Amino acid sequence: MKKHQHPGLRSVHRALADPMRIRLLECLWGRPQSAKELAEWVGIAPDRLYYHLAQLEEAGLIEIAEYRRLPGGKVERVYRPTPVEPPGDEATPLEFADFLGGRRVTTRTNITAASVAKEAGERREIMLTRATVRLSEAELVILRERLLELVRLAQDRPDDEGVWTRVVVTLVDLQDRGQPTSTGDPS
């Protein structure tokens, strides 16, 4: 039986197959940057990056955030990661699977890049935790709110001396919640 793969995922896999493109994407997660700024970060000439940026753009992983005017009338492109929103309620199971598959590939890529860097002597921290917990409806609401509050706090006040860190949190019900209970007066 032949396996079918979504055509969009092939270009993502191809784009993320090169360590240079992974590094560029990691850099852009911090803030939008031009090819010149990215070149300084990775230590190569800007003209050598355009092929890699084109591959990331073709895969839908980055986009042009703005065109910045330079002295002398030239214009440079400023790149940013493409915002990826979870599929809406009307999404098909295939659309959900594609979205989750893309997030899995990105997370695996982040972990692999950090592991390789750690083996090369860089100080990188990787923490993976998996737990199954039983939560009441109220406890689940509190957990979600606290996680989102911590992420929003970090996003609103980035620390220039801090370390860019990818945070992936998944909360999945493992059983049917049943019918919502009524808390009001039936009259």
Side-chain angles (χ1 to χ4, degrees), residues 16 21 48 52 66 79 123 152 157 176:
L16 295 176
R21 292 193 282 270
R48 293 189 52 211
H52 296 292
E66 65 176 299
Y79 299 91
R123 182 170 174 241
R152 274 194 298 270
R157 296 187 308 194
D176 183 11

Side-chain angles (χ1 to χ4, degrees), residues 5 12 19 25 35 41 48 62 65 72 75 115 117-118 121 124 157 177:
Q5 186 177 21
V12 170
L25 194 54
W41 189 76
R48 293 189 52 211
I62 66 170
V75 176
S115 298
K118 194 171 187 174
R124 296 282 188 104
R157 296 187 308 194
R177 290 173 176 257

Side-chain angles (χ1 to χ4, degrees), residues 12 15 21 24 26 29 39 53 63-65 81 83 90 97-98 106 116-117 120 123 150 153 170 177 186:
V12 170
R21 292 193 282 270
L24 292 171
E26 285 178 337
W29 282 327
L53 292 169
E63 64 187 13
I64 297 170
E90 296 81 33
D98 284 347
T106 303
V116 168
R123 182 170 174 241
L150 288 170
L153 181 65
T170 305
R177 290 173 176 257

Side-chain angles (χ1 to χ4, degrees), residues 123 157-165:
R123 182 170 174 241
R157 296 187 308 194
D159 181 355
D160 290 339
E161 300 300 317
V163 176
W164 287 107
T165 304

Side-chain angles (χ1 to χ4, degrees), residues 8 77 80 86-87 97-98 107 129 149 160 176 178 181 187:
R77 293 179 224 153
R80 69 175 170 217
D98 284 347
T107 301
T129 302
E149 179 183 341
D160 290 339
D176 183 11
T181 57
S187 51

Side-chain angles (χ1 to χ4, degrees), residues 68-83:
R68 188 184 296 158
R69 292 222 176 268
L70 299 174
K74 291 188 176 186
V75 176
E76 70 179 347
R77 293 179 224 153
V78 177
Y79 299 91
R80 69 175 170 217
T82 305

